Amino acid sequence: MRNILMAVAEQPSNANEYILHHLTFLQNKTPNGVIDWSVIHWDSVFFSVLLAVVFGGSFYLAARKASTGVPTKFQNFVELVVEFIDTQVKDSFHGTTPLIAPMALTIFCWVFLFNAMDLLPVDLLPAIAHGAGVGHLKVVPSTDLNVTFALSLTVFILIIYYSIKMKGLGGFLAEFTLQPFVAKNPILKVLLVPANLILEVVPFIARPISLSLRLYGNLFAGEMIFMLLAVLSLQGAVQLESASGWALVIAQFVLALVWAIFHLLIITLQAFIFMVLSVVYLAMAHEHH
């Protein structure tokens, strides 16, 4: 169920205003152009940090209270998640770096919590925030390109770091300039460098872009579907004196419930894909060619 509670304090006059209102971030200033590095989305920052604390704090408490006797249900759950992520890392990454498994666990749990915010009633937290004097509030961090790009760029920096660490700066640059076209003649090698550079740099740079856009696109689409379903309640709520109004509200409830159940699979799958691709890219950085 994605939208049962409608914002009472500020009812948009039509569906367009309703959707635009929910797509507006709580930010420090109006962006000046398409890219404005001085703009801060305070809601994305707040919920990202809050969910990091929830993830880190809950797993820390589970580790502190872990016992060799009869484990609690939460301890069983944490051990199941850790074992699942560890298995995925071992299947994809064959190096010995101790950072990869904790990083994969953090990515999966953090992104899953980001996505899970999409299952809350669409007007619940914004209505509470409005009561506290906050005009706009977006509660799903993974529907913010700044958040998804920040995650993917962090992975990208690690890819570059481990590539240079394992292969050296010369070996790292050779991967972009000496393949896929190979030649024994030194002059021909030099002539092939521009073509190799184009063919190798483009897919390399595409990694963080595809990571961020895949997560953002899927969650943004899911959020839009929830909003469109919520519009049924918006239209039905103003005509509850008629049978058609009640029909719209009931239809929204049923459709939103079905979509929420299906969306639970999507949010889990997207967190898993982001985690697996990050591990695979880091595994490729450790390989020698």
Side-chain angles (χ1 to χ4, degrees):
M1 179 178 58
R2 178 63 171 122
N3 181 65
I4 296 177
L5 177 66
M6 301 300 297
V8 176
E10 184 179 345
Q11 289 286 355
S13 59
N14 56 56
N16 287 335
E17 289 185 8
Y18 177 83
I19 293 175
L20 288 175
H21 177 81
H22 283 280
L23 291 179
T24 304
F25 290 95
L26 175 63
Q27 49 198 18
N28 61 327
K29 56 178 287 191
T30 302
N32 183 19
V34 178
I35 299 177
D36 188 346
W37 301 105
S38 63
V39 175
I40 301 174
H41 293 168
W42 293 115
D43 39 15
S44 296
V45 173
F46 173 78
F47 285 109
S48 296
V49 174
L50 175 64
L51 294 174
V53 172
V54 169
F55 158 66
S58 60
F59 272 59
Y60 174 77
L61 290 176
R64 286 289 303 270
K65 296 182 178 180
S67 63
T68 56
V70 179
T72 63
K73 293 182 179 179
F74 185 67
Q75 182 181 335
N76 282 330
F77 171 76
V78 170
E79 290 177 352
L80 180 64
V81 172
V82 171
E83 183 178 352
F84 170 74
I85 299 299
D86 187 60
T87 301
Q88 298 301 319
V89 171
K90 289 179 179 177
D91 290 342
S92 305
F93 187 86
H94 304 292
T96 57
T97 304
L99 173 67
I100 304 302
M103 181 209 69
L105 177 65
T106 301
I107 288 177
F108 177 77
C109 295
W110 204 16
V111 173
F112 176 80
L113 290 175
F114 284 174
N115 301 346
M117 296 294 289
D118 206 20
L119 297 176
L120 293 175
V122 69
D123 287 306
L124 177 59
L125 295 183
I128 295 174
H130 183 83
V134 178
H136 298 279
L137 189 71
K138 278 180 64 68
V139 303
V140 187
S142 43
T143 59
D144 186 351
L145 268 175
N146 297 285
V147 174
T148 59
F149 263 108
L151 287 172
S152 63
L153 286 176
T154 302
V155 175
F156 189 59
I157 291 172
L158 288 174
I159 292 172
I160 296 175
Y161 169 76
Y162 281 112
S163 294
I164 297 176
K165 179 181 179 181
M166 299 301 296
K167 306 161 190 176
L169 181 59
F172 176 63
L173 295 177
E175 288 189 341
F176 295 101
T177 57
L178 302 181
Q179 60 179 14
F181 300 118
V182 181
K184 295 183 179 180
N185 188 294
I187 298 178
L188 189 57
K189 278 186 178 182
V190 174
L191 294 177
L192 290 174
V193 165
N196 288 335
L197 198 60
I198 294 173
L199 291 175
E200 292 295 325
V201 168
V202 171
F204 186 73
I205 296 178
R207 292 176 183 177
I209 297 176
S210 63
L211 268 180
S212 59
L213 290 181
R214 181 184 296 106
L215 178 60
Y216 167 79
N218 281 277
L219 268 296
F220 183 81
E223 184 182 46
M224 284 299 300
I225 291 176
F226 278 128
M227 290 182 185
L228 292 174
L229 291 174
V231 170
L232 293 177
S233 287
L234 182 67
Q235 295 174 347
V238 298
Q239 47 181 330
L240 288 179
E241 69 280 357
S242 64
S244 61
W246 283 102
L248 287 174
V249 173
I250 295 173
Q252 183 274 334
F253 177 86
V254 174
L255 291 174
L257 180 61
V258 172
W259 176 246
I261 295 173
F262 178 72
H263 198 57
L264 184 60
L265 174 63
I266 295 177
I267 66 177
T268 306
L269 184 61
Q270 289 304 312
F272 177 76
I273 290 174
F274 197 102
M275 180 270 295
V276 168
L277 287 179
S278 299
V279 174
V280 169
Y281 291 153
L282 288 169
M284 293 171 62
H286 278 71
E287 293 176 357
H288 292 271
H289 298 285

